[in-house]
Amino acid sequence: MPSESFNTREVLEAILDSIDEGIHVIDPKGQTIFYNGVAANHDGMKRREVLGKPLLEAFPSLNHKSSTLLRVIKSEKPIHNYNQSYLNAHGRIIETLNTTLPIKVDGVIVGAIEIAKDYSSIKRLSERLADLESSLKTSKNPEKKTEPGHLHSFSEILTSDPQFKSLISKGKKAARSSSSVLVYGESGVGKELFVQSIHRDSSRQKEPFIAQNCAALPGELLESLLFGTAKGSYTGALERKGLFELAHGGTLFLDELQSMPIDLQAKLLRVLEDGSIRRIGGAGSVQVDVRIMAAMNIDPQKAVSENKLRPDLFYRLNVLSYELPPLRERAKDIELLTEHFVSLYNRKLGIDMKGVDEETRVFFQRYQWPGNVRELKHTIEFMMNHAEQEILLLEDLPQLLRKRSSPLENILPLREAMLEMETKLITDALLQTNGNVFQASKLLKIPRQTLQYKIRKYI
């Protein structure tokens, strides 16, 4: 029986530790008995600084009246959606939105649990919107013409591949339209470059081009960012325009669309259908004139079958859709882009690298480039920062790529082979998600905390 009880608690703690909200539990004496990693990140603390310690010792700026956990222990009544601001033990200001509940067993209070959302991120989101709104107002000043020079153009897409050249021709035709655009392909193939080029060739080129990665924020924050907020829609909320309103007249680019929650996709579909949005907590609708461009790093039909993309949204976006081919299918472009990046970093680094030797050129042609053009660019940048001669050699490759450049003469011990494979899979997942740890953990099907530990240990 003790063993079964221990396993049940272990499973429960594992579940609470995997939740994306901060969980903090204290006993009736005010001592912390559970504190997950998300709560530690919110509070700017390490778990060992809080676990097993009196609450007021870990957070000395709080007291029995200001602490929601201690108030619930005393009153035995829940507190919902309470905005709490306090200093942690390191003097940093922390702001969270808490729901705090009493824990009772047979009518007797045995502790309190707090579920906390990081209100600081909501405030930063609001500040980002304010800064963006201010910069757009400045750019629309009649005395200052909006210049599209910071955006990429089709002339910057280097290719000798017939398929890619055909896509560029189609993209130039799409620039003359106002229809929505869907671009898909593996991470690093140049999807944002492609959609920026469409915007820059279009009649909207002097209006805003705003990009948002849908995987970068939780659903509720992404919704606030896109649609804006009405005053009082959450604690401390101000009347704030969202990205749809800020992009009025221009283009809104939604990257990694398949990461947008399904219910939020329904709201996006309504914007595409009638051109109106409603701020979070607001009563009225606002008409917007925004061209939507979206990108995905998986096939959209696969995303539909996996319930990551609404079928009706897919059909609405599929009017102008383009699949960008991976670098490994554009063999001639590998050499062309290698020469371009060597020239680019010669100028940036103030050196005169002659290129790559034959052995490295052959390796580049045979390598699969899971991170596509982005990985090739970063590889050459790494090599040019480390090379000690006037031509790039295999020995200048990053360690992970260098291991793949020649076959192993002997079979590795199992432990080493497993470590190498695990490191490769983690690296590939991070490349595919552009360094987004949360999305990489979903690809690898492991908890985010486990992935963070492995990154610190192996990479």
Side-chain angles (χ1 to χ4, degrees):
M1 181 67 77
S3 174
E4 183 180 337
S5 176
F6 174 79
N7 288 335
T8 302
R9 174 171 178 163
E10 195 174 57
V11 170
L12 178 59
E13 289 189 353
I15 292 171
L16 292 174
D17 216 17
S18 66
I19 292 173
D20 277 340
E21 293 178 331
I23 306 292
H24 192 164
V25 183
I26 63 170
D27 65 16
K29 295 180 179 178
Q31 186 165 300
T32 297
I33 56 176
F34 183 81
Y35 187 66
N36 73 353
V38 177
N41 287 335
H42 286 181
D43 295 339
M45 302 284 283
K46 294 178 180 176
R47 296 174 77 171
R48 66 172 183 272
E49 295 176 312
V50 180
L51 269 174
K53 295 185 178 178
L55 182 71
L56 299 185
E57 181 183 316
F59 301 95
S61 70
L62 293 174
N63 55 46
H64 284 84
K65 289 184 178 180
S66 61
S67 166
T68 46
L69 278 165
L70 294 177
R71 282 164 56 190
V72 165
I73 287 287
K74 183 177 180 180
S75 69
E76 301 187 13
K77 295 179 180 179
I79 298 174
H80 295 281
N81 297 322
Y82 182 82
N83 176 217
Q84 190 166 35
S85 179
Y86 51 92
L87 292 175
N88 68 10
H90 306 294
R92 175 180 152 193
I93 297 176
I94 307 299
E95 293 182 88
T96 55
L97 193 64
N98 303 337
T99 291
T100 313
L101 308 170
I103 303 172
K104 293 184 178 181
V105 176
D106 295 330
V108 178
I109 190 160
V110 295
I113 180 170
E114 187 159 85
I115 302 103
K117 296 179 181 179
D118 187 2
Y119 179 59
S120 305
S121 63
I122 300 176
K123 287 193 69 177
R124 287 195 298 272
L125 175 64
S126 180
E127 289 162 3
R128 177 191 164 186
L129 284 168
D131 291 343
L132 186 54
E133 184 175 11
S134 176
S135 66
L136 288 174
K137 283 179 180 176
T138 302
S139 71
K140 289 186 176 181
N141 188 317
E143 298 177 1
K144 291 180 66 180
K145 289 187 178 180
T146 304
E147 295 293 338
H150 66 288
L151 296 176
H152 294 292
S153 65
F154 283 117
S155 62
E156 297 175 57
I157 303 178
L158 303 179
T159 183
S160 58
D161 180 73
Q163 181 187 356
F164 214 154
K165 285 184 176 180
S166 175
L167 283 170
I168 291 171
S169 296
K170 291 177 181 177
K172 289 179 179 178
K173 291 178 182 177
R176 301 198 292 265
S177 167
S178 288
S179 298
S180 302
V181 172
L182 176 62
V183 180
Y184 59 99
E186 297 176 6
S187 293
V189 294
K191 297 187 291 293
E192 183 162 1
L193 189 154
F194 193 81
V195 297
Q196 282 190 13
S197 300
I198 293 176
H199 172 84
R200 189 167 174 179
D201 261 24
S202 76
S203 60
R204 298 172 180 261
Q205 62 175 267
K206 292 188 180 297
E207 299 301 328
F209 176 92
I210 298 177
Q212 176 59 44
N213 189 314
C214 298
L217 292 170
E220 58 191 17
L221 289 187
L222 180 61
E223 184 177 2
S224 297
L225 182 62
L226 292 174
F227 290 91
T229 56
K231 188 173 182 179
S233 56
Y234 60 83
T235 306
L238 301 175
E239 195 78 20
R240 192 74 77 196
K241 292 181 179 180
L243 296 187
F244 281 111
E245 290 181 78
L246 295 177
H248 181 72
T251 300
L252 178 60
F253 171 51
L254 301 173
D255 198 7
E256 296 196 54
L257 180 66
Q258 76 280 359
S259 297
M260 179 183 287
I262 291 292
D263 58 341
L264 188 50
Q265 290 182 27
K267 295 185 178 182
L268 171 61
L269 182 62
R270 284 200 294 273
V271 179
L272 288 168
E273 294 291 351
D274 59 25
S276 67
I277 63 103
R278 180 180 293 176
R279 294 180 187 173
I280 305 301
S285 296
V286 178
Q287 286 295 125
V288 291
D289 172 24
V290 179
R291 186 179 193 181
I292 302 296
M293 298 194 198
M296 301 174 62
N297 55 22
I298 63 173
D299 186 288
Q301 292 184 333
K302 180 182 179 185
V304 170
S305 67
E306 294 178 353
N307 201 34
K308 293 179 179 178
L309 180 67
R310 289 178 61 103
D312 47 5
L313 179 58
F314 167 57
Y315 299 136
R316 184 65 177 76
L317 290 171
N318 201 38
V319 178
L320 294 174
S321 64
Y322 308 94
E323 180 180 11
L324 303 192
L327 184 57
R328 61 182 172 275
E329 294 180 7
R330 298 154 42 200
K332 292 182 180 179
D333 284 355
I334 295 173
E335 192 163 349
L336 175 67
L337 289 166
T338 297
E339 292 174 359
H340 168 71
F341 291 137
V342 169
S343 176
L344 172 68
Y345 288 111
N346 271 335
R347 294 193 301 273
K348 284 190 173 184
L349 301 174
I351 58 179
D352 186 24
M353 191 66 63
K354 305 302 182 187
V356 301
D357 72 342
E358 180 62 18
E359 199 175 6
T360 305
R361 187 191 68 79
V362 171
F363 170 73
F364 278 7
Q365 289 292 324
R366 292 178 177 173
Y367 181 59
Q368 291 297 294
W369 297 109
N372 292 290
V373 179
R374 185 187 294 120
E375 184 183 9
L376 175 61
K377 181 181 179 181
H378 292 168
T379 296
I380 291 173
E381 181 181 10
F382 176 92
M383 295 173 76
M384 291 183 67
N385 272 285
H386 291 83
E388 296 182 356
Q389 58 288 319
E390 291 186 340
I391 193 163
L392 299 175
L393 309 174
L394 282 179
E395 64 188 48
D396 300 317
L397 286 168
Q399 184 179 6
L400 187 61
L401 267 69
R402 192 160 65 243
K403 286 180 179 179
R404 301 175 192 172
S405 65
S406 59
L408 296 172
E409 296 179 1
N410 300 305
I411 295 177
L412 282 174
L414 182 60
R415 187 181 296 275
E416 289 183 30
M418 290 176 66
L419 175 59
E420 182 174 317
M421 178 55 71
E422 188 173 28
T423 304
K424 175 187 179 300
L425 291 171
I426 290 172
T427 304
D428 288 349
L430 290 170
L431 282 168
Q432 286 188 44
T433 58
N434 198 21
N436 187 306
V437 175
F438 177 69
Q439 290 298 315
S441 69
K442 288 174 68 176
L443 278 180
L444 295 167
K445 291 182 169 54
I446 59 174
R448 182 182 57 193
Q449 293 89 344
T450 302
L451 179 56
Q452 288 172 329
Y453 168 77
K454 291 180 181 294
I455 291 171
R456 289 193 298 269
K457 185 175 181 181
Y458 301 145
I459 300 178

